[in-house]
Amino acid sequence: MNSRRDYRGNRAALFDGIEEGGIRASSSYSSHEIDEHDNDRALDGLQDRVILLKRLSGDINEEVDSHNRILDHMGNDMDSSRGILSGTMDRFKMVFETKSSRRMATLVTSFVVLFLLIYYLTK
């Protein structure tokens, strides 16, 4: 049933725009030639879709490569940050290991907290 409807739709599309009493389809066209014409049109449509999909997949590939480069760069930055933070933590450990340094660190920390408190209260 659907194939009949499709055939009629294709036939109507083929003869679209031909007014009754005007130009008539030539009887020299065979069913094979009409089918060949429809196949050529369908092939052109498929070719356009394939070209579009090829471009789209190329764009996706470029985007993925770009994101991979960004992620690699971010990973390298994280590794360098981790190295800097571990060095800072080692220095803090050295400061807190000695008693006099611990008192000095407590004093400096209290001054920083006091400064921040005064700053936010006056703002």
Side-chain angles (χ1 to χ4, degrees), residues 5-53:
R5 193 176 301 149
D6 290 341
Y7 177 73
R8 286 182 187 161
N10 289 339
R11 185 173 173 90
L14 181 64
F15 296 112
D16 191 30
I18 297 177
E19 296 179 11
E20 208 168 305
I23 301 173
R24 300 213 177 233
S26 171
S27 62
S28 65
Y29 286 124
S30 68
S31 172
H32 177 70
E33 289 174 347
I34 292 173
D35 289 340
E36 188 83 23
H37 182 66
D38 287 342
N39 286 341
D40 288 341
R41 244 189 316 179
L43 186 64
D44 289 340
L46 285 174
Q47 186 177 11
D48 291 341
R49 289 180 184 170
V50 167
I51 290 171
L52 178 70
L53 287 173

Side-chain angles (χ1 to χ4, degrees), residues 8-108:
R8 286 182 187 161
N10 289 339
R11 185 173 173 90
L14 181 64
F15 296 112
D16 191 30
I18 297 177
E19 296 179 11
E20 208 168 305
I23 301 173
R24 300 213 177 233
S26 171
S27 62
S28 65
Y29 286 124
S30 68
S31 172
H32 177 70
E33 289 174 347
I34 292 173
D35 289 340
E36 188 83 23
H37 182 66
D38 287 342
N39 286 341
D40 288 341
R41 244 189 316 179
L43 186 64
D44 289 340
L46 285 174
Q47 186 177 11
D48 291 341
R49 289 180 184 170
V50 167
I51 290 171
L52 178 70
L53 287 173
K54 183 178 178 182
R55 287 181 189 157
L56 185 62
S57 65
D59 291 344
I60 289 171
N61 185 30
E62 289 175 13
E63 191 73 21
V64 166
D65 288 342
S66 170
H67 285 207
N68 282 338
R69 281 192 301 274
I70 290 170
L71 288 173
D72 287 341
H73 183 67
M74 189 184 323
N76 293 338
D77 289 346
M78 292 297 252
D79 288 341
S80 67
S81 299
R82 187 176 299 129
I84 291 170
L85 285 175
S86 68
T88 304
M89 290 304 294
D90 290 341
R91 289 187 192 113
F92 272 122
K93 286 179 187 176
M94 281 184 1
V95 166
F96 287 118
E97 284 177 356
T98 61
K99 286 185 179 182
S100 63
S101 295
R102 187 176 300 156
R103 286 185 191 152
M104 181 60 81
T106 305
L107 184 63
V108 169

